[in-house]
Amino acid sequence: MPAGAAPTRETHTPQTLLRIAVEVFNERGYDGTSMEHLSRAAGITKSSIYHHVRGKEELLRRAVDHALEGLFAVLEEPDALRGRAVDRLEYVVRRTVEVLVERLPYVTLLLRVRGNTDTEVRALERRREFDQRVTELLRRAVADGDLRSDVDPRLATRLVFGMVNSVAEWYRPRMGDEGAADDPAGAEAIARAVTLTAFAGLRAGGR
Amino acid sequence: MPAGAAPTRETHTPQTLLRIAVEVFNERGYDGTSMEHLSRAAGITKSSIYHHVRGKEELLRRAVDHALEGLFAVLEEPDALRGRAVDRLEYVVRRTVEVLVERLPYVTLLLRVRGNTDTEVRALERRREFDQRVTELLRRAVADGDLRSDVDPRLATRLVFGMVNSVAEWYRPRMGDEGAADDPAGAEAIARAVTLTAFAGLRAGGR
């Protein structure tokens, strides 16, 4: 063994370790996961994990931050900043679905966070902040006369995200073990279906 | 103590015991709930619980059956059986939201079921059966030319139920501790918002 190498069976970068931790968190729940579980799943000793991170909460923080950065970045994209509020809103919803699919395990973990640790409390606050930014766009689109005014904007935001977030419950990428049966459409087709349903509605003749 | 009475601090009917069990299951998760937790929450001894039920799985079964009976009953209501498929579908979606709100803790529990026991596996099968009945209605409405044909019916069903089921994540009845802030609208208004969004879309000018 070369000098300085840790006595591990596998080598991990911070990224590969994080990916495994997120898998275990999603499978066992964050509260139900011990450092022992993480050590076994990663194939390295607990002290090797402590070489990378201070503990499991740091892994949770990095994971939810990865999800949140992806979501908040959408709000800064040019098409989210320019044009009519209704089009910006539709763009944000579509891109949110795409980020959810691209970062599926990270966003799934974010959506399951319940607020028992500081990291979880902060993640919930950031989610609420994201929702509020979207509600604000929705309010402007209603004021512009582009969205119907007979559905409360906060309720509309909740319903649209209910639809968006539900994708995390059933979407499995075509490469996964659960295969094609769960993948009737790619990420883009799902994003398109979400925006069509939410903005134009399922009835024939909608735009 | 009258002869034959159980040495309990509180008296329960099967219904009140079930209601408490559902609360505990939703709070701790079914897997994380022991008979000891149930005994403490109900304020009766474990043996008094065994007087009512064979074990916690029977309580789970009764709870998810209560949710499933409510949902399946909707499919047998006159407006779900007569008329154009699109109207029957819209009726079923609206009534599903209402049942979800009326039986909130029971449906919440049903939606969290993950399939570790026979009861859970059966509950998941019944949920799938319900979804399939709705997808079938949706297919007919597309065939009638009443629903858009450019969203896959199975995907559309998932998205609509994503919206419907998300209500269980945030809806708290006005009577609850979390009060009016979480109750921007009654059950009827939520059901109306769901059907308007899903069928007519949020854009102004939708029917």
Side-chain angles (χ1 to χ4, degrees):
Chain A
M1 192 160 60
T8 60
R9 281 166 286 147
E10 296 195 28
T11 358
H12 283 291
T13 63
Q15 285 69 35
T16 61
L17 181 62
L18 186 60
R19 205 179 312 144
I20 288 168
V22 168
E23 261 174 50
V24 181
F25 290 157
N26 279 331
E27 201 184 299
R28 315 187 70 99
Y30 175 70
D31 290 335
T33 301
S34 65
M35 286 300 277
E36 184 61 34
H37 294 133
L38 293 176
S39 152
R40 259 184 266 144
I44 61 177
T45 63
K46 276 191 266 184
S47 60
S48 302
I49 297 181
Y50 285 117
H51 178 73
H52 289 285
V53 289
R54 251 163 304 167
K56 71 171 190 161
E57 192 172 343
E58 187 178 331
L59 287 163
L60 179 69
R61 184 176 55 70
R62 288 191 192 179
V64 298
D65 279 355
H66 184 63
L68 287 163
E69 279 158 20
L71 294 170
F72 275 91
V74 168
L75 300 177
E76 307 308 325
E77 288 173 7
D79 287 349
L81 296 169
R82 278 184 239 132
R84 293 185 79 80
V86 66
D87 297 324
R88 293 162 58 195
L89 177 66
E90 194 165 320
Y91 177 81
V92 166
V93 171
R94 181 158 56 77
R95 287 285 297 129
T96 301
V97 177
E98 288 169 3
V99 169
L100 182 147
V101 169
E102 281 160 21
R103 306 191 180 198
L104 190 64
Y106 301 89
V107 179
T108 301
L109 184 61
L110 174 68
L111 294 175
R112 291 186 186 169
V113 149
R114 282 294 167 265
N116 297 321
T117 60
D118 286 352
T119 299
E120 288 167 278
V121 170
R122 209 182 58 92
L124 286 174
E125 281 168 6
R126 295 278 284 158
R127 273 189 65 187
R128 249 192 306 272
E129 194 189 324
F130 188 84
D131 289 1
Q132 279 162 2
R133 300 265 304 262
V134 174
T135 305
E136 192 42 51
L137 261 182
L138 213 147
R139 273 188 222 285
R140 273 193 238 174
V142 171
D144 291 344
D146 291 329
L147 284 193
R148 59 192 320 139
S149 56
D150 56 352
V151 175
D152 174 81
R154 199 153 143 255
L155 182 50
T157 306
R158 283 174 157 164
L159 295 178
V160 170
F161 281 119
M163 196 155 45
V164 170
N165 296 342
S166 73
V167 175
E169 294 298 314
W170 54 263
Y171 180 76
R172 298 292 172 272
R174 209 176 275 277
M175 311 279 290
D177 292 330
E178 287 168 57
D182 266 326
D183 193 15
E188 211 183 312
I190 295 170
R192 189 177 159 279
V194 169
T195 50
L196 270 179
T197 305
F199 293 97
L202 290 172
R203 277 199 191 252
R207 277 154 298 179
Chain B
M1 192 160 61
T8 60
R9 281 167 286 146
E10 296 194 30
T11 356
H12 284 289
T13 64
Q15 285 70 35
T16 62
L17 180 63
L18 185 60
R19 205 180 309 143
I20 289 168
V22 169
E23 262 174 48
V24 181
F25 290 156
N26 279 331
E27 202 184 299
R28 315 187 71 98
Y30 176 70
D31 290 336
T33 302
S34 65
M35 286 300 277
E36 184 61 35
H37 295 132
L38 293 176
S39 151
R40 261 184 264 142
I44 60 176
T45 62
K46 278 192 265 184
S47 60
S48 300
I49 296 180
Y50 285 118
H51 177 73
H52 289 287
V53 289
R54 251 163 302 169
K56 70 170 189 162
E57 192 172 342
E58 187 177 331
L59 287 163
L60 178 69
R61 184 176 56 70
R62 287 191 192 181
V64 298
D65 279 354
H66 184 62
L68 287 163
E69 277 158 20
L71 294 169
F72 275 91
V74 168
L75 300 177
E76 306 307 324
E77 288 172 8
D79 288 350
L81 295 169
R82 278 184 239 131
R84 290 185 81 79
V86 67
D87 298 324
R88 292 162 56 194
L89 177 66
E90 194 165 321
Y91 177 81
V92 165
V93 171
R94 180 159 57 76
R95 287 286 298 130
T96 300
V97 176
E98 288 170 2
V99 168
L100 183 148
V101 169
E102 281 160 21
R103 306 192 179 196
L104 190 63
Y106 300 89
V107 178
T108 301
L109 183 62
L110 174 67
L111 294 174
R112 292 186 185 167
V113 148
R114 283 293 167 265
N116 297 320
T117 59
D118 286 352
T119 299
E120 289 168 276
V121 169
R122 208 181 59 93
L124 286 174
E125 282 168 4
R126 293 279 283 159
R127 274 189 64 187
R128 250 192 305 274
E129 192 188 324
F130 187 84
D131 289 2
Q132 280 161 1
R133 299 265 305 260
V134 174
T135 304
E136 192 41 50
L137 261 182
L138 214 145
R139 275 189 221 285
R140 271 193 239 175
V142 171
D144 291 345
D146 291 329
L147 284 192
R148 58 191 323 138
S149 55
D150 56 353
V151 175
D152 174 81
R154 198 152 144 253
L155 182 50
T157 306
R158 281 174 157 163
L159 295 178
V160 170
F161 280 119
M163 195 155 47
V164 170
N165 296 343
S166 73
V167 175
E169 295 298 314
W170 55 264
Y171 180 77
R172 297 292 171 273
R174 208 176 275 279
M175 310 281 291
D177 291 329
E178 287 166 56
D182 267 325
D183 192 13
E188 210 183 312
I190 295 170
R192 190 177 157 277
V194 169
T195 49
L196 271 178
T197 304
F199 293 96
L202 289 172
R203 278 200 190 250
R207 276 153 299 177

